[in-house]
């Protein structure tokens, strides 16, 4: 089955700087890669996703890049703000199969 | 965006009793829903995939007789934790897949349910 690894497990960045979280996946057939943001005790919120037919997608301060050859994808947050502090999960899926989640990254924005 | 409602948001039950958690897709039909368990500071662990009108598919190591899943309609799936024990205390989250053409099979999560077994 699919295996998703996520790094780093914790990340602290100064407010205004950029944050990058990386994930690798094992199943080359996976074609959908969402990113979720989860605040303590709350539901994961989809913040951005990318499908295998594109290499990059951007939504304001958030961007995701995908390298299918290397089987890795990354989340980029620019101009970080305190409200970006949360746990971020990457995930991978093939077709209508189940999502396989990474282990999460606890992002802390330092004011 | 699409909404998935989960109820109750928190529940305390006595050891040995059963508790039911509901997951509803409010504005779309979900032929497939997923149940996760999340321990503090850990990732989401998939317990089972719930398919409308058929038996759930359980992940390895998850006891199907303990965690009963019913998906009787296209908008409702339920998870019943039977004979609950303190080690079952956790955050349980459901998700639903919007299979409509416009959605592209996007997954939406419920609010989660905190279960405490005393």
């Amino acid at each position: 089955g699919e295996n998703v690894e996520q790094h780093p497990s914790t990340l602290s960045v100064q407010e205004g700087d950029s944050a990058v979280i990386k994930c690798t996946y094992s199943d080359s057939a996976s074609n959908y890669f969402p990113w979720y943001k989860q605040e303590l005790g709350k539901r994961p919120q989809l913040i951005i996703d990318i499908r295998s037919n594109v290499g990059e997608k951007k939504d304001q301060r958030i961007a995701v890049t995908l390298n299918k050859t290397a089987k890795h994808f990354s989340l980029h947050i620019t101009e970080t703000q305190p409200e970006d502090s949360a746990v971020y999960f990457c995930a991978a899926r093939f077709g209508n199969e189940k999502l396989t989640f990474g282990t999460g990254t606890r992002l802390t924005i330092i004011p | 965006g699409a909404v998935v409602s989960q109820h109750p948001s928190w529940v305390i039950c006595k050891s040995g009793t059963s508790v039911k958690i509901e997951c509803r897709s409010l504005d779309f039909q979900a032929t497939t829903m997923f149940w996760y368990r999340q321990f503090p500071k850990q990732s989401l662990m998939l317990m089972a995939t719930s398919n409308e009108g058929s038996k759930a598919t359980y992940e390895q190591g998850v006891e199907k007789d303990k965690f009963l899943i019913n998906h009787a309609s296209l908008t409702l799936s339920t998870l019943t934790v039977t004979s609950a024990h303190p080690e079952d205390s956790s955050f349980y989250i459901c998700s639903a897949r919007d299979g409509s053409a416009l959605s592209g099979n996007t997954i939406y999560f419920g609010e989660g349910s905190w279960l405490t077994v005393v």
Side-chain angles (χ1 to χ4, degrees), chain B:
Chain B
V3 177
V4 175
S5 176
Q6 190 171 338
H7 178 81
S9 54
W10 58 270
V11 57
I12 300 173
C13 71
K14 289 185 177 180
S15 187
T17 63
S18 296
V19 61
K20 180 186 288 187
I21 302 169
E22 295 186 346
C23 181
R24 295 181 185 271
S25 55
L26 298 185
D27 51 3
F28 65 95
Q29 292 184 332
T31 55
T32 304
M33 291 185 176
F34 304 90
W35 286 96
Y36 295 85
R37 183 174 182 176
Q38 187 177 33
F39 291 107
K41 299 185 179 182
Q42 293 189 22
S43 188
L44 293 90
M45 184 190 78
L46 180 65
M47 300 174 66
T49 302
S50 169
N51 299 295
E52 186 268 335
S54 63
K55 291 183 178 180
T57 302
Y58 289 82
E59 295 299 301
Q60 190 173 10
V62 178
E63 299 176 59
K64 61 181 181 181
D65 294 330
K66 179 171 182 61
F67 299 99
L68 302 179
I69 291 173
N70 184 277
H71 193 158
S73 78
L74 286 172
T75 59
L76 173 65
S77 175
T78 60
L79 168 68
T80 301
V81 183
T82 63
S83 187
H85 291 284
E87 56 265 32
D88 297 325
S89 299
S90 185
F91 189 49
Y92 292 86
I93 314 177
C94 72
S95 68
R97 183 167 66 209
D98 183 350
S100 63
L102 288 177
S103 167
N105 293 303
T106 301
I107 301 290
Y108 299 96
F109 282 86
E111 304 99 323
S113 299
W114 286 99
L115 170 63
T116 300
V117 184
V118 297

Side-chain angles (χ1 to χ4, degrees), chain A residues 38 43 51 93 96 98 102, chain B residues 43 59 97 105 109-110:
Chain A
Q38 186 180 30
R43 79 176 92 195
R51 299 182 191 275
R93 183 183 78 192
N96 290 337
K98 61 190 178 186
Chain B
S43 188
E59 295 299 301
R97 183 167 66 209
N105 293 303
F109 282 86

Side-chain angles (χ1 to χ4, degrees), chain A residues 23-29 33 66-73:
Chain A
C23 287
T24 60
Y25 60 98
S26 61
D27 188 350
S28 57
F33 308 92
L66 171 65
N67 184 325
K68 287 187 294 182
T69 303
K71 291 190 284 187
H72 67 70
F73 56 113

